[in-house]
Amino acid sequence: MDELNEIEKEFDSQLLEIKDEKKLEDVRIAFLGKKGKITNSMSKIREIAVEKRKEFGQKINLIKSKIENSLSSLKEKLENEIIQRKIANEKPIDITLPVKSSTGSLHPRTTLQKEIEDVFVSMGFSIEDGYEVETEFNNFDAVNVPKSHPARDMQDTFWLDNGQLLKTQTSAAQNRILRKYNGTLKAIFPGRCFRNEALDHSHENTFFQIEGMLVDHNVSVANLIYFMKKMLSEVFKTDINIRLRPGFFPFVEPGFEMDATCTFCKGKGCPTCKNSGWLELCPCGMIHPNVFRLAGLDPNVYSGFAFGLGFDRLVMLKTGLDDIRYLNSGNLKVLSQFGVKA
Ligand code: FA5
């Protein structure tokens, strides 16, 4: 019994010395741990004379629960003190104050995409979506690209292990959209494209196109020219000159390359336009009969045009950036100059 009284006294004096959680844990281990004083005394109970065993058991249990309770309420008190200290040190926050730092801005690509979408929507077009992972059928076969076409090679296309691919052109959505409308339609579909390219100031491996299609009866090249001129003039807020050159794309017949006056040199010639005064901007043409057939439409009934605007190059024209690589760089010093507050 004396031994137990000794333990209790020792605990009482150590309890007064506990000022933090570390010390509290040390004391707990010293008394209640595997090799602690209480555990140790409990294991000796068999050595106590039988007539005194009950009294010893009751006493040690009493001391044990006293130690457990004291330590647990002290722990709670210490934790509470820590929280109170933190609160006292915290600077009060007024959540109603206006933010001081910059809230960020929209990427110049996003700003221009919204502008272009607005122009087309005002002309009765709807905005459609495409996938980034596509089937070989949608990206190539459905738009009349022959099996032997070099664009299907590993050098140009990022193929996935499952036989699908990262779409190389927004034209990959043509078949799905033609089927969806199953007749007349006016739609644009912006999207991210991927090509395994050597990078330079006008080539990225990840870039954007805005594709457009208009399908109706008796659509002509004149309609195509009208819509493209209108869109560019709205975007640049001035009359933009365009020219069409013959261009070959398996999904259009006839096919064209549409160039716009170089906005850097106003047509005089500079390194960006390779001194030609023109920037190649937008391949386009009249939708090929095979593309209609592959979408279940009769090319004798329907005609239409399609275009695939190189969107990053348009952003460069609009912002004056002379290197496409800035657009994916995340360089805030460059991009924030053209940003619009979100
Ligand atoms: C096409 O991708 C056709 N699908 C476009 C089309 C649609 C033609 C509908 C006819 C009818 P092309 O490979 O030329 O065509 O790419 C179109 C535009 O995307 C280019 O003029 C260029 O502005 C842009 N572009 C192509 N490759 C890159 C690249 N690596 N980096 C940045 N822009 C690119």
Side-chain angles (χ1 to χ4, degrees):
M1 278 317 156
D2 287 350
E3 182 195 333
L4 294 184
N5 289 334
E6 247 344 278
I7 292 176
E8 191 175 7
K9 241 201 235 164
E10 199 183 331
F11 173 75
D12 287 341
S13 83
Q14 290 213 17
L15 187 66
L16 296 174
E17 285 171 26
I18 299 179
K19 299 280 178 269
D20 58 33
E21 287 188 310
K22 158 96 182 55
K23 176 74 183 164
L24 185 133
E25 182 60 6
D26 289 348
V27 173
R28 188 193 67 76
I29 291 169
F31 288 86
L32 302 173
K34 265 192 204 156
K35 292 180 186 161
K37 292 180 196 300
I38 293 291
T39 324
N40 195 27
S41 298
M42 281 179 132
S43 67
K44 285 190 202 149
I45 202 160
R46 288 187 184 281
E47 296 163 19
I48 310 262
V50 180
E51 63 279 9
K52 292 197 169 167
R53 221 179 259 173
K54 190 176 170 201
E55 194 191 344
F56 182 89
Q58 280 172 344
K59 174 103 182 163
I60 198 162
N61 277 335
L62 218 65
I63 299 176
K64 190 179 174 217
S65 16
K66 172 186 157 177
I67 294 178
E68 282 171 347
N69 292 338
S70 308
L71 290 179
S72 134
S73 45
L74 187 56
K75 189 167 194 270
E76 204 175 302
K77 189 173 158 239
L78 287 175
E79 282 172 352
N80 203 23
E81 275 173 14
I82 291 174
I83 293 171
Q84 293 309 323
R85 232 176 290 136
K86 269 192 188 160
I87 292 174
N89 288 336
E90 250 172 29
K91 290 205 179 87
I93 300 168
D94 182 350
I95 55 163
T96 62
L97 282 175
V99 272
K100 272 192 199 153
S101 58
S102 156
T103 47
S105 61
L106 294 177
H107 192 283
R109 222 188 246 133
T110 312
T111 316
L112 188 56
Q113 182 175 329
K114 284 183 169 190
E115 266 182 50
I116 293 179
E117 287 178 359
D118 284 351
V119 175
F120 277 105
V121 166
S122 75
M123 297 191 289
F125 282 68
S126 49
I127 317 287
E128 292 289 342
D129 216 352
Y131 302 150
E132 290 186 348
V133 172
E134 264 295 0
T135 59
E136 181 175 8
F137 176 81
N138 278 333
N139 198 80
F140 293 123
D141 302 87
V143 283
N144 202 33
V145 178
K147 284 272 180 237
S148 58
H149 198 285
R152 299 200 192 206
D153 285 355
M154 288 296 285
Q155 288 92 331
D156 288 326
T157 302
F158 291 109
W159 289 93
L160 305 181
D161 288 345
N162 64 3
Q164 294 192 326
L165 48 85
L166 296 183
K167 108 178 151 217
T168 63
Q169 49 182 355
T170 39
S171 306
Q174 280 194 11
N175 187 270
R176 208 178 281 120
I177 292 168
L178 285 169
R179 286 181 182 280
K180 175 176 168 184
Y181 286 85
N182 197 29
T184 56
L185 73 90
K186 282 203 272 185
I188 61 162
F189 30 113
R192 200 194 317 255
C193 304
F194 308 86
R195 287 185 200 177
N196 199 352
E197 296 258 22
L199 308 190
D200 60 29
H201 75 278
S202 59
H203 288 87
E204 257 289 5
N205 51 26
T206 305
F207 58 98
F208 286 74
Q209 293 182 342
I210 297 187
E211 187 108 351
M213 276 196 298
L214 184 147
V215 174
D216 211 323
H217 308 284
N218 305 318
V219 179
S220 76
V221 177
N223 300 129
L224 166 65
I225 294 173
Y226 168 80
F227 281 108
M228 298 315 291
K229 253 197 108 155
K230 174 103 175 122
M231 183 274 290
L232 289 173
S233 301
E234 293 269 342
V235 166
F236 290 100
K237 314 273 182 260
T238 172
D239 242 5
I240 287 281
N241 243 345
I242 60 168
R243 70 175 186 187
L244 293 184
R245 291 176 288 118
F248 173 73
F249 300 92
F251 28 94
V252 281
E253 181 56 39
F256 308 105
E257 285 288 357
M258 193 195 79
D259 301 335
T261 336
C262 177
T263 47
F264 290 102
C265 61
K266 308 272 181 281
K268 288 195 198 91
C270 68
T272 309
C273 62
K274 296 198 184 102
N275 287 318
S276 70
W278 294 94
L279 280 176
E280 189 178 306
L281 203 63
C282 182
C284 51
M286 305 306 293
I287 298 173
H288 195 287
N290 284 350
V291 174
F292 279 127
R293 285 191 197 100
L294 283 158
L297 292 168
D298 184 349
N300 295 316
V301 176
Y302 292 106
S303 49
F305 66 72
F307 62 86
L309 184 72
F311 184 46
D312 300 76
R313 294 194 189 155
L314 191 69
V315 177
M316 289 166 74
L317 278 183
K318 178 86 193 208
T319 54
L321 275 178
D322 59 0
D323 196 317
I324 193 171
R325 287 166 291 195
Y326 283 128
L327 295 177
N328 288 349
S329 70
N331 183 335
L332 292 181
K333 273 195 187 148
V334 176
L335 298 175
S336 56
Q337 296 174 52
F338 313 101
V340 167
K341 287 270 174 266

